[in-house]
């Protein structure tokens, strides 16, 4: 479509200009991240019983130092690029790494607490691959637990600063949420017929639970919410590999769209109910759709197959050290059976930060942090 192509072309030109100019100073004091594998930067590495981990090659092959970090990617992911765009010197670390480092340190307890507090001052990432909006989704760190971790962190911050200073910091910080895809995956896997009554009940449950999570974060001090909606999940390589024609699974895309429509209505209502709350919703759904429609604008040549994996479309198996891995990751939309490449994540980060309304609304993330 011409509109999609024009928006992507504009975004590509803007990205080149941004790269040439460099990022400005910090626009937010901290970023706190919640969600699933689209935002996990290594929390699942600290879950020894979980198989939902990415702390092994080929993951991280393009990350600085060429090492796996727990990100489900060949390199950086979207939250990393958003952190850079917001002027933070680095992406917030996985919360469980901070806890583990403090516990394992040989220094005194007071020094441990001080070191942890310093790390927390620019935020933390609580996201966990495999989790969802619903606590029944997955078996990793569910959203309720992620928010409990944040509550614990806030208490620790108050003991080191003061309630007023922490409240002021949180009110200016970004709270980023990227979740919902795994809920849709699980529901679709168990209900392939997608009868209207079941879909309605499922959608209402997800949106109602999302509502509860946002209100809990608000009561804990969150005021600026950056939301990434459910991607075009039916076009992930894994689901294509399950279709005899290799085409997208459209019923799954429609399920994602229904959840996204509900998210839009939810945040519109919440912004009028909750004093001082600001929000922006980035459309991962629209971005992936546009890149599949016009891949050449972003320099992609392959939008169906996974770069790392095995089987049909290289997507019937996950990415492991023994997997087949493409040599030029920059040409691929998807890294593995479900997740984007670093190249896609960079494009997404730029689109969500200051892209056209097609990709982020009612305001951009840039406008959100500068308002």
């Amino acid at each position: 479509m011409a509109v999609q192509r024009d928006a992507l072309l504009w975004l590509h030109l803007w990205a080149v200009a941004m790269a040439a100019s460099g990022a400005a100073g910090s626009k937010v004091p901290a970023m706190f991240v919640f969600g699933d594998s689209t935002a996990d930067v290594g929390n699942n590495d600290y879950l020894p019983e979980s198989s939902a981990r990415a702390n092994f090659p080929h993951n991280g092959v393009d990350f600085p130092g060429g090492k796996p970090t727990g990100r489900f990617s060949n390199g950086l992911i979207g939250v990393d690029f958003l952190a850079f765009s917001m002027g933070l010197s680095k992406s917030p670390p996985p919360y469980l790494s901070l806890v583990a480092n403090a516990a394992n340190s040989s220094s005194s307890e007071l020094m441990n607490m001080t070191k942890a507090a310093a790390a927390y001052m620019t935020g933390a990432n609580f996201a966990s691959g495999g989790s969802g909006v619903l606590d029944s989704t997955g078996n990793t760190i569910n959203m309720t637990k992620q928010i409990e971790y944040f509550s614990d962190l806030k208490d620790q911050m108050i003991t080191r600063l003061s309630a007023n200073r922490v409240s002021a910091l949180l009110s200016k910080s970004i709270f980023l949420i990227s979740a919902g895809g795994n809920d849709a995956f699980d529901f679709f896997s168990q209900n392939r017929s997608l009868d209207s009554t079941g879909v309605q009940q499922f959608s209402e449950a997800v949106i109602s639970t999302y509502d509860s999570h946002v209100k809990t974060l608000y009561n804990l001090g969150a005021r600026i919410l950056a939301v990434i909606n459910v991607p075009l999940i039916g076009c992930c390589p894994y689901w294509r590999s399950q279709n005899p024609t290799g085409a997208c699974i459209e019923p799954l895309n429609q399920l994602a769209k229904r959840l996204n429509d509900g998210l839009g209505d939810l945040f519109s209502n919440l912004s009028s109910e909750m004093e001082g709350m600001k929000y922006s919703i980035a459309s991962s759904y629209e971005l992936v759709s546009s890149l599949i429609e016009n891949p050449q604008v972003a320099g992609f040549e392959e939008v169906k197959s996974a770069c790392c994996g095995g089987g049909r479309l290289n997507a019937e198996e996950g990415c492991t050290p023994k997997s087949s891995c493409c040599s030029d990751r920059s040409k691929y939309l998807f890294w593995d059976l479900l997740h984007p490449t670093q190249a896609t994540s960079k494009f997404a980060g730029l689109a969500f930060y200051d892209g056209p309304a097609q990709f982020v609304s009612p305001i951009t993330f840039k406008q959100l942090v500068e308002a």
Side-chain angles (χ1 to χ4, degrees):
M1 294 175 61
V3 173
Q4 290 180 329
R5 184 173 60 254
D6 291 346
L8 288 172
L9 181 58
W10 178 91
L11 186 60
H12 173 71
L13 295 173
W14 179 84
V16 172
M18 280 289 290
S21 63
S26 178
K27 303 174 181 64
V28 294
M31 175 190 286
F32 299 95
V33 181
F34 305 82
D36 54 29
S37 59
T38 58
D40 187 354
V41 294
N43 278 306
N44 281 15
D45 290 359
Y46 299 87
L47 304 178
E49 302 301 319
S50 175
S51 61
R53 297 197 290 177
N55 58 340
F56 48 79
H58 299 280
N59 296 299
V61 64
D62 295 310
F63 194 85
K67 62 180 181 179
T69 62
R71 290 166 172 81
F72 294 80
S73 170
N74 57 304
L76 298 168
I77 61 173
V79 295
D80 298 314
F81 291 109
L82 287 170
F84 301 152
S85 292
M86 292 176 188
L88 296 174
S89 60
K90 59 181 180 179
S91 186
Y95 174 73
L96 293 187
S97 73
L98 301 176
V99 173
N101 289 341
N104 294 332
S105 175
S106 60
S107 57
S108 69
E109 182 178 356
L110 178 60
M111 288 181 65
N112 287 345
M113 294 166 62
T114 302
K115 287 166 64 178
Y120 297 146
M121 289 302 102
T122 55
N125 187 311
F126 305 89
S128 176
S131 68
V133 175
L134 301 174
D135 286 348
S136 58
T137 298
N139 57 2
T140 52
I141 310 170
N142 62 43
M143 188 75 76
T144 297
K145 187 63 177 179
Q146 291 179 34
I147 296 174
E148 288 177 2
Y149 280 150
F150 169 71
S151 180
D152 292 342
L153 171 57
K154 180 185 175 183
D155 290 341
Q156 294 175 46
M157 293 169 67
I158 289 174
T159 64
R160 293 156 180 75
L161 299 174
S162 69
N164 287 340
R165 288 179 66 187
V166 171
S167 178
L169 183 148
L170 296 181
S171 70
K172 298 175 182 178
S173 298
I174 283 286
F175 286 76
L176 188 147
I177 306 174
S178 180
N182 288 327
D183 301 285
F185 282 149
D186 284 5
F187 179 77
F188 180 75
S189 296
Q190 299 167 23
N191 303 271
R192 293 299 181 97
S193 62
L194 292 183
D195 66 278
S196 58
T197 300
V199 168
Q200 180 176 347
Q201 292 175 345
F202 164 73
S203 301
E204 289 175 352
V206 171
I207 299 305
S208 174
T209 307
Y210 213 122
D211 173 78
S212 177
H213 291 322
V214 172
K215 287 177 177 175
T216 301
L217 285 172
Y218 179 87
N219 290 334
L220 287 169
R223 293 295 181 271
I224 308 175
L225 287 105
V227 178
I228 299 176
N229 72 12
V230 182
L232 192 75
I233 49 181
C235 292
C236 290
Y238 170 75
W239 290 105
R240 284 183 183 269
S241 75
Q242 303 302 299
N243 188 336
T245 68
C248 300
I249 305 292
E250 288 306 325
L252 188 51
N253 286 338
Q254 290 304 309
L255 183 61
K257 187 176 186 305
R258 179 161 184 153
L259 291 178
N260 290 338
D261 289 343
L263 271 182
D265 292 340
L266 170 66
F267 276 91
S268 178
N269 293 333
L270 287 176
S271 65
S272 62
E273 297 172 8
M274 300 161 69
E275 183 179 357
M277 190 196 102
K278 298 184 295 182
Y279 78 96
S280 175
I281 300 178
S283 183
S284 180
Y285 187 101
E286 284 296 327
L287 183 69
V288 173
S289 175
S290 296
L291 290 173
I292 290 175
E293 185 75 19
N294 299 286
Q296 68 284 349
V297 177
F300 295 138
E301 296 178 359
E302 178 53 63
V303 298
K304 296 180 180 180
S305 299
C307 170
C308 182
R312 187 165 181 248
L313 297 179
N314 215 27
E316 292 179 305
E317 302 170 8
C319 181
T320 71
K322 297 181 180 179
S323 296
S324 168
C325 185
C326 66
S327 59
D328 191 349
R329 276 80 65 182
S330 67
K331 302 299 184 183
Y332 277 68
L333 176 62
F334 291 101
W335 164 240
D336 62 13
L337 69 177
L338 296 172
H339 305 99
T341 57
Q342 174 178 268
T344 304
S345 294
K346 182 177 183 179
F347 209 80
L350 294 169
F352 301 159
Y353 185 67
D354 195 23
Q358 177 185 351
F359 304 135
V360 58
S361 64
I363 59 176
T364 66
F365 284 10
K366 182 175 187 289
Q367 293 169 323
L368 186 67
V369 301
E370 294 182 348

